[in-house]
């Protein structure tokens, strides 16, 4: 059997029909003993405009621990990455609906580390659990200044009121830090929504990539607290990725999760450990990620829409 199923979906949809972060999920032919070739995965990835995820052993029953589905995460450039939250959520949603819709818990493996992961599906909502392994480190003011210059902002636009806020006293102070629950993101608080939405795409994509590489960052994550919200912890965010093949992300689960953990560590959380992260507004791709922190886990959730499905054969790739 050499048929590949391709499903295009959007994750973290909100408000508008164009909302959410696109992902293409490829369900590879079932073969528990033979992993897919890297050349095949790269070709599939390069056929996409956004992130893609390849699912090996997609037909394997989720209760069979020896043949759990394995997820491979790719950028449209053909670069493989260690993890992508919205892609994992989209894949879990598709496995749920193509397999047993009564089974709301989807277990899967990732290539890096081989750790078992879980996602929970309810209707068109998926909640993904991520181990709360938060890592943080200082970023120099000069590096942040250079990155901001690339996207049309200056240090005067940064919310300096968070400087030195350390909560429990552990970890670097805001605002100049990298934070990670899976991949490092550079978190920068911006003073107002107008300033946040005034940021532009990087002026020089190669220089922007090199600046990110110099501080071991996979992207710049800007955020501003929404003061008029009914939610006690609602933020408007934008991410400019290091080098994904497009200048801005409509939604970023691991960045939203890293920001929530970073804020909670500094006393900016609430009793429920719940955060609302809006993104994609400036792109007219309104997206919403709900982050919930519980003990040693971070859960990010959002709604998912499937746009189209098609089948292809290996010799067509």
């Amino acid at each position: 059997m050499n048929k590949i199923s391709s499903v295009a979906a959007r994750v973290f949809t909100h408000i508008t029909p164009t909302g959410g972060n696109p992902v293409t999920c490829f369900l590879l032919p079932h073969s528990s003993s033979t992993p897919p070739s890297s050349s095949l995965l790269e070709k599939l990835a390069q056929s996409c405009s956004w992130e893609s995820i390849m699912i090996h052993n997609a037909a394997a029953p989720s209760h069979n621990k020896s043949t759990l589905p394995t997820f491979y995460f790719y950028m449209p450039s053909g670069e493989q990455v260690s993890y992508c939250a919205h892609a994992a959520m989209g894949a879990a949603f598709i496995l749920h609906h193509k397999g047993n819709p009564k089974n709301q818990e989807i277990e899967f493996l990732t290539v890096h580390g081989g750790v078992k992961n879980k996602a929970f599906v309810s209707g068109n909502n998926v909640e993904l659990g991520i181990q709360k392994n938060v890592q943080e480190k200082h970023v120099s003011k000069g590096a942040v200044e250079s990155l901001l210059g690339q996207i049309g902002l200056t240090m005067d636009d940064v919310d300096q009121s968070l400087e030195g806020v350390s909560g429990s006293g552990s970890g670097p102070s805001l605002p100049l830090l990298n934070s990670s629950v899976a991949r490092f993101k550079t978190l920068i608080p911006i003073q107002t929504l107008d300033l946040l939405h005034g940021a532009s795409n990087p002026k020089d994509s190669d220089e922007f990539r090199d600046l990110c590489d110099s501080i071991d960052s996979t992207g710049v994550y800007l955020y501003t607290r929404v003061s008029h919200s009914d939610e006690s912890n609602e933020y408007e965010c934008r991410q400019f990725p290091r080098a994904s093949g497009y200048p801005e992300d409509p939604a970023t689960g691991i960045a939203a999760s890293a920001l929530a953990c970073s804020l909670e560590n500094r006393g900016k959380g609430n009793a429920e450990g719940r955060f609302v992260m809006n993104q994609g507004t400036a792109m007219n791709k309104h997206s919403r990620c709900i982050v919930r922190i519980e003990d040693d886990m971070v859960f990010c959730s959002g709604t998912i829409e499937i746009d189209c499905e098609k089948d292809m054969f290996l010799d067509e790739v």
Side-chain angles (χ1 to χ4, degrees):
M1 188 70 176
N2 62 353
K3 185 176 74 173
I4 298 175
S5 294
S6 168
V7 184
R10 287 171 293 114
V11 183
F12 300 123
T13 57
H14 182 56
I15 302 177
T16 61
T18 58
N21 198 353
V23 63
T24 303
C25 303
F26 294 99
L27 286 74
L28 304 177
H30 177 66
S31 174
S32 59
S33 59
T34 306
S37 69
S38 58
S39 61
L40 169 64
L41 301 186
E42 288 172 11
K43 286 180 181 178
L44 291 172
Q46 289 168 346
S47 71
C48 304
S49 300
W50 298 86
E51 283 104 330
S52 58
I53 182 168
M54 292 63 170
I55 310 172
H56 183 227
N57 286 338
S62 62
H63 62 271
N64 187 342
K65 303 299 188 292
S66 63
T67 56
L68 286 174
T70 299
F71 290 180
Y72 298 77
F73 306 94
Y74 274 83
M75 294 292 144
S77 62
E79 175 190 3
Q80 185 176 11
V81 295
S82 60
Y83 201 81
C84 178
H86 91 277
M89 292 168 67
F93 182 76
I94 290 162
L95 286 178
H96 167 75
H97 284 277
K98 282 188 168 289
N100 180 5
K102 294 182 179 179
N103 181 18
Q104 293 186 315
E105 181 179 293
I106 303 296
E107 294 183 329
F108 60 91
L109 301 174
T110 61
V111 178
H112 294 272
V115 178
K116 184 172 71 176
N117 300 259
K118 289 184 181 181
F120 304 89
V121 183
S122 178
N124 69 334
N125 188 83
V126 175
E127 183 174 70
L128 177 69
I130 303 171
Q131 193 72 34
K132 189 183 173 185
N133 181 24
V134 184
Q135 301 178 62
E136 295 191 322
K137 56 187 178 182
H138 285 288
V139 178
S140 72
K141 181 178 178 180
V144 171
E145 196 167 19
S146 296
L147 285 166
L148 288 173
Q150 277 285 317
I151 54 177
L153 299 177
T154 71
M155 288 300 296
D156 290 338
D157 301 322
V158 175
D159 185 356
Q160 302 286 347
S161 67
L162 289 172
E163 182 72 63
V165 176
S166 58
S168 63
S170 61
S173 301
L174 290 171
L176 310 180
L177 58 83
N178 280 352
S179 185
S180 170
V181 294
R183 290 187 286 149
F184 276 109
K185 303 293 180 181
T186 303
L187 310 180
I188 306 177
I190 303 300
Q191 290 187 37
T192 67
L193 286 173
D194 285 344
L195 288 170
L196 178 83
H197 289 141
S200 58
N201 293 337
K203 299 172 183 176
D204 185 318
S205 58
D206 290 338
E207 184 176 341
F208 186 78
R209 180 200 61 215
D210 292 343
L211 286 168
C212 287
D213 287 345
S214 72
I215 58 171
D216 191 28
S217 173
T218 62
V220 171
Y221 200 57
L222 309 179
Y223 65 98
T224 301
R225 190 171 185 274
V226 181
S227 58
H228 59 270
S229 171
D230 293 333
E231 296 278 353
S232 61
N233 269 317
E234 182 172 350
Y235 292 84
E236 190 74 24
C237 309
R238 296 182 71 180
Q239 180 184 247
F240 299 93
R242 165 193 168 271
S244 295
Y246 47 83
E248 183 174 359
D249 267 308
T252 320
I254 59 174
S257 299
L259 175 58
C261 291
S262 186
L263 291 168
E264 187 191 56
N265 287 347
R266 287 156 181 81
K268 298 291 183 179
N270 55 25
E272 296 79 26
R274 185 178 187 272
F275 296 80
V276 178
M277 306 301 189
N278 300 315
Q279 200 173 324
T281 306
M283 307 170 67
N284 196 32
K285 292 182 178 292
H286 297 269
S287 306
R288 171 166 286 185
C289 175
I290 308 297
V291 181
R292 180 172 60 87
I293 301 172
E294 184 178 313
D295 300 325
D296 63 345
M297 294 294 293
V298 186
F299 297 92
C300 62
S301 65
T303 55
I304 297 178
E305 299 289 341
I306 291 178
D307 290 328
C308 63
E309 303 182 42
K310 66 178 183 179
D311 292 333
M312 64 180 75
F313 292 91
L314 287 177
D315 56 8
E316 298 173 349
V317 177

